[in-house]
Amino acid sequence: MPKCTGAAGSGWFAVLPDCDAARAAAAVLGAEATNVVEHASGRPWLVGRWADGEVVVAAVGAARVAAVGLTPLTGPRLAALVREGDALGSLGRIAADGPTGSCHLLASEAGRLRSQGTASGLRRLFSARVAGVVVACDRSDVLATAIDAGLDERLVALRLMDPLIPHPLDERPLWRGISAVPAGTALLTDADGDARTRPWWQAPEPELSLAEGAERLAGALADAVAVRTADGGLISSDLSGGLDSTSLCFLAARGPARLLALTVVGADPANDDLAWARRAAAHLPDTEHLTLPTGELPPHYTGVLRAGDGVDEPALGGRVHAAFAETARRLASRGSRLHLSGEGADQIVSARPPYLHTTLRAHPRTALTHLRATLSAQRWHLLPTLRALADNRSYGRWLADTARDLSPMLALDGSPALGWQLLRPQLPPWASPDAAAAVRELLGHSALEAEPLATTRGQHEVLWSVRNGTRLVRQLTRITSQAGLPTHYPFYDDRVVEAALSVRLHERTTPFAYKPLLVRAMRQTVPAELLGRATKGEYSAEMQSGLRRRRAELAELLDQPLLATLGLVDADALRRACLSMFPPRLSPVTLEATLAVETWLRAHAGPSTTATGLGSEAAA
């Protein structure tokens, strides 16, 4: 089971029912635990490994409530928010109206439990039946170890299409016998140790004007940063010079903590991050500005053979694990107690092209103006675009139809991105026919009952991209936490997400301005000259260099890939794509997703998995 390094976010916790039948489960999980919190009955409630101060517990009569993660609440303040006799119901009110932060909320009262993560999906929960009772946990691998779960090879195949796995399949753990508690949903456990789920969160309707929404976003983002600077000391933050990280730095500079701003300097001469970061730092005289050339960090794909260690699901980003860990160690050695990242802003402060499908039905004139500019910029073909705009298929129908064509899409093919998600689900060219058949089966079954995350394509796609993003950063923060420095993502705090999503799609998104919502929200905080940046640095040069420099490690990884043993990929085709001739116009993310699955299998697959292909049980 995962070890806790002492940094927040590096450990785990499990939630046990308040019944005698749970004692066997407590024995299984408690063997690896260093921390225990009891129910009022004296039975174990929370077991696990966590950092000091990471769990806040309050007693309200015979009830117990807890917040796990980042919260400004103390025990007494948490208790004051709980109604005696209604501890479970109080969690919903705390999540909706309580202080800002990012934490799990848990309650135990009269033998009944309520356990929930965040609406964004950054704080997740999983459940499994352990020794006869339902146990919740913030990590799926802990539960897998507890019940000795085997892998579901169909879901392994599905992960080959990351980051285009459609809702609700994107939240499913890869182990048999383990379920995900969907984001925005609570797990309710009864006195006998059985459980059911109930949604507690619904996305706001995008009804606010840009001006109204910007004011709300400014307040929510300021609160999200303030809760992280409140304890003083030294914190660090990315400062790429882009709108997202620059906004965080200026907000953090207001607080009681000292700020260390980090700019990672890319190898590409066209990357203008450093120039913009220096302009921003000039307006922050009390902030130390640290520049770190990528050449001083481990190259991309360093340690790729171990990239699956420490993460409970395959996740994009394995190629930068070593660089992220080294950066975290350097910042921690300077005294930083947490690090701020601007990740998440791209997902929430503007929508992606499917917003045009929604806007055309509510504001047709605006939609046509935006569409003309988008057609020119994206080089979409006109007739396919018109057909896509006229498409009124339900989410379930769309999901079922995607199973017909899982072939990879090529860049710049002129296809409009106006479906229920930015791009349709697709598999890499090296995926096997068995893998494709398994994925089609999963898509078909899911389509029978699948409901979208929102009633319109534009808002559904935003929510889907938020949950996609939190799946990635949830793993990256574990990498940095294990290196001694937790990474925080204020843009993924529920209050911040809600503020951004409440703004009309066509006002927070326009082809004529860059991130107008964030610009408007930060105009009283960030100097105007810095809000005018419309470029974004990218690091493909580092990725290509890493592929060359770590060729030997990649060759070893793919010499006898477990994915091929499971019958999910053509090993020769995968090796050619990685080591010699990558298919032209195919996104490099396609390869990264496959490598993420392969390295994760190396870390988590047991002997029985490596010897079993997509034959009988997996394809049944």
Side-chain angles (χ1 to χ4, degrees):
M1 291 188 183
K3 306 297 182 184
C4 179
T5 65
S10 63
W12 58 274
F13 72 89
V15 184
L16 297 166
D18 189 9
C19 58
D20 286 334
R23 294 189 183 279
V28 172
L29 290 158
E32 297 291 335
T34 56
N35 304 82
V36 178
V37 176
E38 294 179 341
H39 294 282
S41 65
R43 300 184 184 99
W45 174 33
L46 309 179
V47 299
R49 294 170 175 257
W50 54 77
D52 292 343
E54 199 172 3
V55 178
V56 176
V57 181
V60 182
R64 299 292 182 268
V65 290
V68 183
L70 175 74
T71 177
L73 294 172
T74 60
R77 289 184 63 194
L78 178 58
L81 297 174
V82 177
R83 294 179 184 173
E84 190 166 354
D86 187 27
L88 275 62
S90 295
L91 290 196
R93 292 186 291 273
I94 294 171
D97 304 317
T100 189
S102 177
C103 62
H104 292 87
L105 290 173
L106 314 168
S108 166
E109 184 173 44
R112 299 178 299 117
L113 312 183
R114 175 168 171 162
S115 311
Q116 63 190 58
T118 57
S120 70
L122 185 58
R123 304 277 180 173
R124 296 191 67 187
L125 279 176
F126 306 89
S127 68
R129 193 167 287 277
V130 181
V133 297
V134 175
V135 173
C137 186
D138 68 329
R139 289 183 59 90
S140 59
D141 54 353
V142 170
L143 293 176
T145 300
I147 66 173
D148 194 22
L151 292 177
D152 186 332
E153 290 85 355
R154 299 170 304 164
L155 295 171
V156 175
L158 183 76
R159 291 304 180 105
L160 294 174
M161 61 171 54
D162 208 10
L164 298 174
I165 305 169
H167 165 79
L169 292 169
D170 53 343
E171 292 189 311
R172 289 185 61 176
L174 277 69
W175 282 284
R176 299 186 185 95
I178 298 176
S179 301
V181 179
T185 301
L187 183 72
L188 304 177
T189 309
D190 62 27
D192 295 322
D194 294 320
R196 58 187 175 87
T197 58
R198 185 174 73 192
W200 62 265
W201 185 82
Q202 186 172 359
E205 289 297 322
E207 299 174 337
L208 297 184
S209 68
L210 182 68
E212 294 169 321
E215 182 178 356
R216 183 175 295 186
L217 177 62
L221 192 57
D223 289 345
V225 174
V227 75
R228 291 164 168 91
T229 63
D231 289 338
L234 177 70
I235 70 166
S236 53
S237 176
D238 289 339
L239 179 59
S240 69
L243 290 178
D244 315 334
S245 62
T246 299
S247 298
L248 296 183
C249 282
F250 276 85
L251 289 170
R254 295 173 168 182
R258 292 177 291 115
L259 178 63
L260 171 62
L262 171 69
T263 302
V264 176
V265 183
D268 187 347
N271 187 328
D272 58 351
D273 277 359
L274 180 59
W276 281 96
R278 283 175 170 162
R279 292 172 69 177
H283 292 276
L284 297 167
D286 297 326
T287 296
E288 180 183 357
H289 185 207
L290 173 66
T291 58
L292 183 59
T294 54
E296 295 184 15
L297 294 171
H300 285 208
Y301 296 103
T302 297
V304 66
L305 295 173
R306 303 293 301 274
D309 293 0
V311 296
D312 66 347
E313 64 178 328
L316 300 175
R319 61 185 166 88
V320 296
H321 280 184
F324 271 54
E326 175 60 21
T327 302
R329 283 189 287 268
R330 291 193 183 200
L331 294 173
S333 71
R334 287 173 168 260
S336 177
R337 59 180 178 82
L338 63 84
H339 185 74
L340 302 180
S341 169
E343 290 290 332
D346 286 346
Q347 283 77 7
I348 69 168
V349 299
S350 56
R352 295 193 287 187
Y355 88 94
L356 292 167
H357 185 278
T358 300
T359 303
L360 181 66
R361 285 149 178 80
H363 305 278
R365 289 186 179 179
T366 300
L368 290 174
T369 302
H370 286 201
L371 180 62
R372 281 193 292 267
T374 303
L375 279 169
S376 176
Q378 301 293 332
R379 300 183 182 180
W380 291 348
H381 298 317
L382 179 58
L383 288 180
T385 299
L386 294 177
R387 285 195 295 269
L389 287 169
D391 177 21
N392 284 320
R393 283 176 296 171
S394 68
Y395 182 69
R397 182 70 264 165
W398 172 86
L399 187 58
D401 290 345
T402 63
R404 298 175 183 173
D405 183 9
L406 298 175
S407 62
M409 295 179 64
L410 302 179
L412 303 175
D413 70 348
S415 299
L418 295 169
W420 280 95
Q421 63 187 48
L422 183 63
L423 297 174
R424 63 168 172 79
Q426 54 197 271
L427 286 168
W430 46 82
S432 70
D434 283 346
V439 170
R440 288 192 184 96
E441 180 188 20
L442 287 170
L443 291 171
H445 284 311
S446 181
L448 296 175
E449 298 181 352
E451 295 291 338
L453 295 167
T455 56
T456 66
R457 293 189 183 191
Q459 195 78 328
H460 167 88
E461 207 280 340
V462 172
L463 289 164
W464 172 78
S465 66
V466 165
R467 295 184 182 181
N468 240 348
T470 56
R471 275 200 303 119
L472 168 61
V473 302
R474 176 176 169 267
Q475 306 300 342
L476 290 179
T477 196
R478 177 160 293 273
I479 298 301
T480 64
S481 292
Q482 289 173 336
L485 184 67
T487 302
H488 288 236
Y489 304 89
F491 283 101
Y492 280 136
D493 281 11
D494 285 353
R495 296 287 187 279
V496 179
V497 172
E498 289 171 344
L501 265 60
S502 67
V503 180
R504 297 167 191 151
L505 287 164
H506 65 282
E507 293 195 38
R508 71 175 185 254
T509 310
T510 168
F512 308 109
Y514 186 64
K515 295 185 177 177
L517 176 59
L518 187 57
V519 169
R520 182 70 175 264
M522 291 292 103
R523 64 181 184 175
Q524 302 299 321
T525 303
V526 178
E529 65 174 288
L530 303 176
L531 295 175
R533 184 182 182 187
T535 59
K536 193 176 182 71
E538 60 90 32
Y539 294 85
S540 58
E542 283 78 6
M543 184 190 71
Q544 295 297 334
S545 173
L547 281 170
R548 293 191 299 271
R549 295 176 65 178
R550 298 297 169 183
R551 181 182 174 86
E553 289 178 66
L554 290 164
E556 180 181 348
L557 177 69
L558 300 180
D559 180 43
Q560 293 183 321
L562 297 182
L563 282 166
T565 303
L566 293 172
L568 300 178
V569 302
D570 179 328
D572 290 336
L574 175 56
R575 281 190 289 266
R576 282 195 302 270
C578 184
L579 303 174
S580 58
M581 187 176 295
F582 191 75
R585 296 172 58 203
L586 188 67
S587 170
V589 176
T590 308
L591 175 61
E592 188 173 353
T594 300
L595 295 179
V597 179
E598 178 64 28
T599 57
W600 187 86
L601 283 173
R602 278 185 169 241
H604 296 278
S608 61
T609 304
T610 61
T612 304
L614 262 180
S616 54
E617 181 181 359

